[in-house]
Amino acid sequence: MKYIDAIDYKLEIGSLEESSFSQFLESYVNRKKVIIVDDNTHEHCLPYLITTFQELSDAEVILLPEGEENKQMSIAYSVWEALTDYTVSRNDLVINLGGGMITDLGGFIASCYKRGCDFINIPTSLLGMVDASIGGKTGINLGHFKNQIGVFSNPKAVYIDPIFLTTLPDEEMKSGYAEMLKHGLISNKNLFFEIIEQLENYKELDVEFLGVSLSIKNEVVKNDPLEKGLRKILNYGHTIGHVIEGHYMETLNLSHGHAVAIGMVMEAFLSKIEGKLSEGDYKQIESNILKHFKVPTFSDDDIKSMTEMLINDKKNDSGVIKCCLLSAIGKCSFDNVIPEERFIETFMHFKNLQVNLN
Ligand SMILES: NC(=O)c1ccc[n+]([C@@H]2O[C@H](COP(=O)([O-])OP(=O)(O)OC[C@H]3O[C@@H](n4cnc5c(N)ncnc54)[C@H](O)[C@@H]3O)[C@@H](O)[C@H]2O)c1
């Protein structure tokens, strides 16, 4: 069992059965427990949880449809209604059992319900384990705009048990690897190359790297929980990644990690044309990432609409587009002001490298 020092909550990596989870549940012995799952975690993860922990035998289960398109207000509304029907109070416990979609949505729902109800995250996807379940960002999408509505709110605990990864589809493992690559690109060159090596053989995750990766995020968040400065480096690859994910949500349905992987290569290209990143480092990033994540076909209309979305990105300040840039593999800066034309130049460059995913 590995215990990580998070801001104000328990963060444990290892078998749930050996963790403090059971003891934690005892502190909610006379309180209601509600487990939020999606179709897949209902099928693959919930049976293990409720058969292993007697304390959950009377828990209510709220089943949501899987998929990023369901991380939205109408679903949140229906869960608030269900919590009200179950007469859940502020001191009861919501357990988010799922990938980043469930921990973002469930965290948001719990944080707003009666002005804040206790919740914990048990991430079941790799991306959820190394990224989404920690750091206190919760939220929902607004149409195509990713995470446009949300609050910073920490769970009471996060329990990371790699056992859940055994049923995770390969494509979703790859999506999690993308966020681990990001942690390498922004602060640990070795991690970047280790993860590239793991990707070649992506079913066999080295749990050691899981700990290294989430510790990078955890340390950054501890330094800047509300993203006033340093934490912005965790958005590397996401300025472009989010618009790609949002723009193609209903057509290509790219995983979050896939969109971020492309965003990271494109933002490395931006770093190069802005004179910050060497050609050598750029080529390493491009060749290693694009081997595993293909760039979708961009038409001129796609580029126009994605550029418009960039201007609306919540990470911007008064219409000025700001972006993280790399100065080397493992070194990242934030709040670089980038003119709109640079993004168009970047999209046009990748228009010529595309492979059609349709
Ligand atoms: N809050 C944050 O700091 C933060 C950081 C990064 C990403 N995110 C968010 O996380 C989301 C992406 O997370 P994700 O990739 O986990 O998406 P997800 O939750 O949609 O999971 C991906 C797919 O895997 C399935 N799944 C999850 N666990 C499974 C398991 N153990 N076995 C079988 N299937 C399983 C899900 O049902 C889903 O179909 C996005 O909404 C993104 O915006 C949030």
Side-chain angles (χ1 to χ4, degrees), residues 38-41 44-45 66-68 71 98-102 104 124-128 131-138 141 146-147 164-169 172 175 179 217 231 238 242 245 255-257:
D38 71 12
D39 303 305
N40 294 319
T41 61
H44 300 294
C45 310
E66 74 79 36
E68 182 65 23
K71 199 175 104 177
M101 193 285 274
I102 288 292
D104 271 18
T124 59
S125 67
L126 179 57
L127 191 142
D131 196 351
S133 69
I134 57 173
K137 278 188 180 178
T138 71
N141 303 326
K146 288 270 306 166
N147 307 325
F164 293 116
L165 298 177
T166 48
T167 57
L168 192 70
E172 298 302 337
S175 178
E179 294 284 7
K217 171 159 184 180
R231 183 172 180 165
H238 285 65
H242 272 169
E245 187 181 2
S255 70
H256 176 77

Side-chain angles (χ1 to χ4, degrees), residues 123-161:
T124 59
S125 67
L126 179 57
L127 191 142
M129 293 180 189
V130 297
D131 196 351
S133 69
I134 57 173
K137 278 188 180 178
T138 71
I140 55 174
N141 303 326
L142 186 68
H144 287 181
F145 293 105
K146 288 270 306 166
N147 307 325
Q148 191 81 345
I149 311 293
V151 292
F152 284 99
S153 173
N154 281 323
K156 292 283 173 210
V158 180
Y159 292 103
I160 296 175
D161 186 344

Side-chain angles (χ1 to χ4, degrees), residues 62-76:
I62 297 182
L63 170 60
L64 303 180
E66 74 79 36
E68 182 65 23
E69 65 281 13
N70 295 304
K71 199 175 104 177
Q72 51 141 307
M73 196 58 178
S74 61
I75 301 280

